[in-house]
Amino acid sequence: MKPESRYQEYKTLMGRIADLDFANAVLGWDQQVYMPKNGSEGRGRQMATLSTFSHELFTSGKLEGILRDLAEEQNLDDSQRFNVQRTLKDVLRKKKYSEAFVEEMALTTSKAFGAWHEARTKRDFKVFEPLLAKIVELKRQEAEFLGYEEHPYNALVEDYEPGLRVSRIDEVFDQVKRELFPFTREIAARFKPDTSFLAKTFPKEKQWEFSKRIIEKMGYDFESGRADDAPHPFCTTFAPGDVRITIRSAENEFNMMLFAAVHEAGHALYELGLPQREQYGLPLGSALSMAFHESQSRFWENSIGRSLPFWKGQYGTLQKLFPENLAGVSLADFYRGVNAVEPSFIRVEADELTYHAHIYIRYLIEKALMSREIEVKDIPSFWNDRYQEYLGIRPSHDGEGCLQDVHWSYGSFGYFPTYSFGSFYAAQLHAAMKRDLPDFDGKVERGEFSAILKWLREKVHVHGKRYSSDELLTRVTGEPLNGNHFMSGMRVKYGALG
Amino acid sequence: MKPESRYQEYKTLMGRIADLDFANAVLGWDQQVYMPKNGSEGRGRQMATLSTFSHELFTSGKLEGILRDLAEEQNLDDSQRFNVQRTLKDVLRKKKYSEAFVEEMALTTSKAFGAWHEARTKRDFKVFEPLLAKIVELKRQEAEFLGYEEHPYNALVEDYEPGLRVSRIDEVFDQVKRELFPFTREIAARFKPDTSFLAKTFPKEKQWEFSKRIIEKMGYDFESGRADDAPHPFCTTFAPGDVRITIRSAENEFNMMLFAAVHEAGHALYELGLPQREQYGLPLGSALSMAFHESQSRFWENSIGRSLPFWKGQYGTLQKLFPENLAGVSLADFYRGVNAVEPSFIRVEADELTYHAHIYIRYLIEKALMSREIEVKDIPSFWNDRYQEYLGIRPSHDGEGCLQDVHWSYGSFGYFPTYSFGSFYAAQLHAAMKRDLPDFDGKVERGEFSAILKWLREKVHVHGKRYSSDELLTRVTGEPLNGNHFMSGMRVKYGALG
């Protein structure tokens, strides 16, 4: 068979797998957004069936056979060769999962979600503990059959940021501990802006009017997406021209909708910038990693959305929308208010500085669980002691402590570090963009985001999975991840603020 | 292998097929209701992939092998035996479709939908004609490979009302022509109620408030369903506890939302009454036929929703909701207005009497196409002549004539007769129910629909596909379809009205 037609077979098979996965994404979205209560049992089994078909196709001898033929083939172009090699690597990794393991994990996590939810509501870790212990035991097994060097945690991180290792995470967090934590304490101690106006009543429709205006200016196109209300904000892709976000709001918390909408729109712009049409379901049409995905959302949320130039340009409009709340609040005071720094218990409500302490604590726990330095029963006290140590506050119950995040109930271990890495990538991209794009702050102030989006599309989005994060950062910024960009950005910003 | 475990294998396989089909239903619903414009290309391929997987599983040697073993098995109970025999019959029918045929039909209809839409907009049959001719040619082939007795149309009707034949359809429509058409002309000539108040402004939210109140009274539960806006009203099932409807409205056409909502809720109550949990994806958990489905929606829409007892009970509430429109309109005048009879061009807007002329004309065309008495190019003149003959009006263009319905662009031939049969079944069920349930009209007037729903659930819904329509009618009403029930119902109703 000609290499072209063999490659076509590979593309067809991967396309069908992508069809199943995207269909499953629609089911998952509907489950969060519109599904009536009594639909959940059927939906659960339908999503499991689609996952099983997708997994079976991906790990079938058929795909592997095609890939092994193509791996020998000399007449592929670079992009084709990359797709083949990367897919073969992923297939070999997925094949290590036995059917029994996958089933047990699915069964355990489906029970665990309910238990977690109940535990959080009752503020009682004991309700979640047995199932979490089971999950941790399964994750330990998973690391063993996947294989790793140095630390079992490395096997799990690989799913979210390929190539990232505990040694490197430790290195990056050493700088965080050495520089960011003392700086955060210093800022929190002296910078105490008024935030009371953010808790006035902001009607939801008008919040959305403003948020929609902003994400459209960013370049999010409502012919290729939409926004629906959901209990948690997220971004999900159904097709190359259908990438949706969800939003939530509280009338007395201005911060809740806008920054989350900008964050999710940042994820969506990345997905919409990937060459998904030409590379449908293939590595070159897919996002580099969860960490890089987070760099795109954090860039728009923090580097743009919480910046002074942005508010210089947009605050007048916001004031006009909410005169009763903001007429007496100056631009400077508003900007200070949305950048307040204060240690708090809940990660998703944390500011740009304290956020990384939340992540670091979760990382320490996950790593210690995987190396058996602690067991699940030790989590509450370990968690609370670390909050005391790094944030100077101690949760009064596990609901505002170790039960706040859903991730572990899904079996997601190794994900949390990508939140910090994404932020640090974003800062490094931000610094490079300021060098590349003349009058960057002026553009942001005037709401001219097209040059910024173009830069991200050409430098980042278009490459899909072609490079590792450090390779791509090196191509785009001249060096691999360097935490100094984040630190110096924060020093400049908060130096001016506080 | 024990018969129990072999039957379990059958159930598991059918469950997975149902999972794929229900997932596809979610994708189809989203496509109509929420999908952004640029999502359509990806959605098309994803739905095609799910259909292909479902078809492959259903016609796989594996399912047939299990079924053939089970067909020999003595130790199944009646329900199990029924499911096995019916599924085997369906598998053997579906196996007659070659992959090439299915692909060509899918390709042709996917193009035809766009062409139909363009043709209707431009009021130009020529735009649709070539693709419709291709579809008709494919349907003629389909009838040949499926096989039939007497008339090729019989092969197609089988999909929508198993066992129904042209000879029987002709018999039923002979009575329609003999009795209903003259009666309709007589009523239309002498009964000319005022309908102007139905075209006043009825704000959408308040229309929905009323419609929702009614369908909840009928027993539609928003924990097992929901209603969304869509260009066309429909009902769709995603799971035993998730059956949704769509609604549409026009502020100046009161009739549009309420009666469609009641109609779709009627479909939904049937789906929710099927034993879908215990018989997930199996014949006994599925609706008897499209015609019987229509009997459920027509029953609620016409026998209940357009009846005098219903409006005796509900009109006060409606008047209070819309005092500016209805304060001066008496119950009697309102009831007359919503039951006005007038020949018109558009089927979906037709009244209870003229409706069947629309259906009969479509039936004549489909039958003549299948027997090659006419060709696609003849449709417009054939259509217009028949409207002249049976309704006394002649379309001024094909947009209000033969281009109005989407069905043929999907390749649905043989479906239309079920709309009339559904109405006639409904009238027969209505008559039986009035005998069975004491103070039926009083119950309707008081909005006590629970006894009615219970009757439908116990007599009709719970049986799934166990009986044919005529068998079920005989069990429930004492005789197979008898068109006199519809005719005498209409004579009583319109005798009192006009």
Side-chain angles (χ1 to χ4, degrees), chain A residues 125 133 136-137 140 365 368-369 371-380 382:
Chain A
F125 186 72
V136 167
E137 204 41 56
R140 286 167 176 167
I365 292 172
L369 284 168
S371 62
R372 299 179 190 272
E373 285 163 70
I374 64 170
E375 291 300 332
V376 166
K377 66 175 169 40
D378 308 320
I379 292 176
F382 189 97

Short mmCIF file of all heavy atoms in Angstrom, two decimals, chain A residues 125 133 136-137 140 365 368-369 371-380 382:
data_model
loop_
_atom_site.label_atom_id
_atom_site.label_comp_id
_atom_site.label_asym_id
_atom_site.label_seq_id
_atom_site.Cartn_x
_atom_site.Cartn_y
_atom_site.Cartn_z
N PHE A 125 -14.33 15.00 56.41
CA PHE A 125 -13.37 14.29 55.57
C PHE A 125 -13.58 12.78 55.62
O PHE A 125 -13.34 12.07 54.65
CB PHE A 125 -11.94 14.64 56.02
CG PHE A 125 -10.88 14.06 55.12
CD1 PHE A 125 -10.67 14.57 53.85
CD2 PHE A 125 -10.09 12.99 55.55
CE1 PHE A 125 -9.68 14.03 53.01
CE2 PHE A 125 -9.12 12.45 54.72
CZ PHE A 125 -8.91 12.97 53.45
N ALA A 133 -8.74 6.97 49.65
CA ALA A 133 -7.64 6.03 49.91
C ALA A 133 -7.56 4.99 48.79
O ALA A 133 -6.46 4.62 48.34
CB ALA A 133 -7.85 5.34 51.26
N VAL A 136 -6.05 6.70 45.72
CA VAL A 136 -4.61 6.89 45.86
C VAL A 136 -3.88 5.56 45.64
O VAL A 136 -2.84 5.50 44.97
CB VAL A 136 -4.27 7.50 47.24
CG1 VAL A 136 -2.78 7.40 47.54
CG2 VAL A 136 -4.73 8.96 47.27
N GLU A 137 -4.47 4.49 46.19
CA GLU A 137 -3.85 3.18 45.98
C GLU A 137 -3.80 2.84 44.49
O GLU A 137 -2.81 2.33 43.97
CB GLU A 137 -4.64 2.12 46.76
CG GLU A 137 -3.84 0.88 47.12
CD GLU A 137 -2.42 1.19 47.57
OE1 GLU A 137 -2.24 1.98 48.52
OE2 GLU A 137 -1.48 0.64 46.93
N ARG A 140 -1.15 4.81 42.76
CA ARG A 140 0.18 4.24 43.04
C ARG A 140 0.44 3.06 42.10
O ARG A 140 1.52 2.92 41.54
CB ARG A 140 0.28 3.80 44.50
CG ARG A 140 0.41 4.97 45.47
CD ARG A 140 0.19 4.51 46.92
NE ARG A 140 0.39 5.59 47.87
CZ ARG A 140 0.03 5.54 49.16
NH1 ARG A 140 -0.56 4.43 49.64
NH2 ARG A 140 0.25 6.56 49.96
N ILE A 365 1.31 17.54 48.97
CA ILE A 365 0.47 16.43 49.42
C ILE A 365 0.46 15.30 48.41
O ILE A 365 0.65 14.12 48.74
CB ILE A 365 -0.97 16.93 49.70
CG1 ILE A 365 -0.96 17.86 50.93
CG2 ILE A 365 -1.92 15.75 49.93
CD1 ILE A 365 -2.29 18.55 51.19
N ALA A 368 3.81 13.50 48.39
CA ALA A 368 4.01 12.71 49.60
C ALA A 368 3.12 11.47 49.62
O ALA A 368 3.50 10.41 50.13
CB ALA A 368 3.75 13.57 50.84
N LEU A 369 1.91 11.59 49.04
CA LEU A 369 1.03 10.42 48.95
C LEU A 369 1.65 9.38 48.01
O LEU A 369 1.64 8.18 48.31
CB LEU A 369 -0.35 10.82 48.42
CG LEU A 369 -1.29 11.53 49.40
CD1 LEU A 369 -2.48 12.12 48.64
CD2 LEU A 369 -1.76 10.59 50.51
N SER A 371 4.77 8.90 47.23
CA SER A 371 5.99 8.28 47.77
C SER A 371 5.72 7.61 49.11
O SER A 371 6.65 7.18 49.79
CB SER A 371 7.07 9.34 47.91
OG SER A 371 6.63 10.33 48.82
N ARG A 372 4.45 7.54 49.50
CA ARG A 372 4.02 6.92 50.75
C ARG A 372 4.60 7.58 52.00
O ARG A 372 4.68 6.96 53.06
CB ARG A 372 4.36 5.41 50.77
CG ARG A 372 3.68 4.63 49.64
CD ARG A 372 4.06 3.15 49.67
NE ARG A 372 3.60 2.45 48.47
CZ ARG A 372 2.39 1.88 48.35
NH1 ARG A 372 1.56 1.90 49.36
NH2 ARG A 372 2.05 1.29 47.22
N GLU A 373 5.00 8.84 51.89
CA GLU A 373 5.46 9.56 53.09
C GLU A 373 4.28 9.90 53.98
O GLU A 373 4.43 10.02 55.19
CB GLU A 373 6.19 10.84 52.68
CG GLU A 373 7.58 10.57 52.13
CD GLU A 373 8.10 11.77 51.35
OE1 GLU A 373 8.40 12.79 52.00
OE2 GLU A 373 8.19 11.68 50.11
N ILE A 374 3.11 10.12 53.36
CA ILE A 374 1.88 10.27 54.15
C ILE A 374 0.82 9.34 53.58
O ILE A 374 0.97 8.83 52.47
CB ILE A 374 1.35 11.73 54.18
CG1 ILE A 374 0.94 12.17 52.76
CG2 ILE A 374 2.38 12.69 54.76
CD1 ILE A 374 0.18 13.50 52.75
N GLU A 375 -0.24 9.15 54.37
CA GLU A 375 -1.39 8.38 53.89
C GLU A 375 -2.60 9.31 53.85
O GLU A 375 -2.56 10.42 54.40
CB GLU A 375 -1.65 7.16 54.78
CG GLU A 375 -0.57 6.08 54.67
CD GLU A 375 -0.42 5.50 53.24
OE1 GLU A 375 -1.41 5.50 52.49
OE2 GLU A 375 0.71 5.08 52.88
N VAL A 376 -3.67 8.82 53.24
CA VAL A 376 -4.84 9.68 53.05
C VAL A 376 -5.37 10.24 54.37
O VAL A 376 -5.78 11.40 54.44
CB VAL A 376 -5.92 8.91 52.26
CG1 VAL A 376 -7.27 9.62 52.32
CG2 VAL A 376 -5.48 8.76 50.81
N LYS A 377 -5.33 9.42 55.43
CA LYS A 377 -5.85 9.89 56.71
C LYS A 377 -5.06 11.10 57.25
O LYS A 377 -5.57 11.87 58.07
CB LYS A 377 -5.84 8.76 57.75
CG LYS A 377 -4.44 8.30 58.12
CD LYS A 377 -4.48 7.27 59.25
CE LYS A 377 -3.12 6.59 59.47
NZ LYS A 377 -1.92 7.46 59.38
N ASP A 378 -3.82 11.26 56.79
CA ASP A 378 -2.99 12.38 57.28
C ASP A 378 -3.27 13.70 56.57
O ASP A 378 -2.74 14.74 56.96
CB ASP A 378 -1.50 12.05 57.08
CG ASP A 378 -1.12 10.70 57.66
OD1 ASP A 378 -1.63 10.39 58.76
OD2 ASP A 378 -0.34 9.96 57.02
N ILE A 379 -4.07 13.64 55.47
CA ILE A 379 -4.22 14.84 54.63
C ILE A 379 -4.73 16.07 55.42
O ILE A 379 -4.12 17.14 55.33
CB ILE A 379 -5.13 14.56 53.41
CG1 ILE A 379 -4.42 13.60 52.43
CG2 ILE A 379 -5.48 15.85 52.67
CD1 ILE A 379 -5.26 13.18 51.23
N PRO A 380 -5.82 15.94 56.22
CA PRO A 380 -6.34 17.16 56.86
C PRO A 380 -5.30 17.88 57.71
O PRO A 380 -5.14 19.10 57.57
CB PRO A 380 -7.51 16.64 57.70
CG PRO A 380 -7.98 15.42 56.96
CD PRO A 380 -6.72 14.78 56.45
N PHE A 382 -2.02 17.59 57.61
CA PHE A 382 -0.91 18.04 56.75
C PHE A 382 -1.31 19.33 56.04
O PHE A 382 -0.56 20.30 55.97
CB PHE A 382 -0.58 16.94 55.74
CG PHE A 382 0.68 17.16 54.94
CD1 PHE A 382 1.88 16.57 55.31
CD2 PHE A 382 0.67 17.96 53.80
CE1 PHE A 382 3.04 16.77 54.57
CE2 PHE A 382 1.82 18.16 53.04
CZ PHE A 382 3.00 17.56 53.43
#
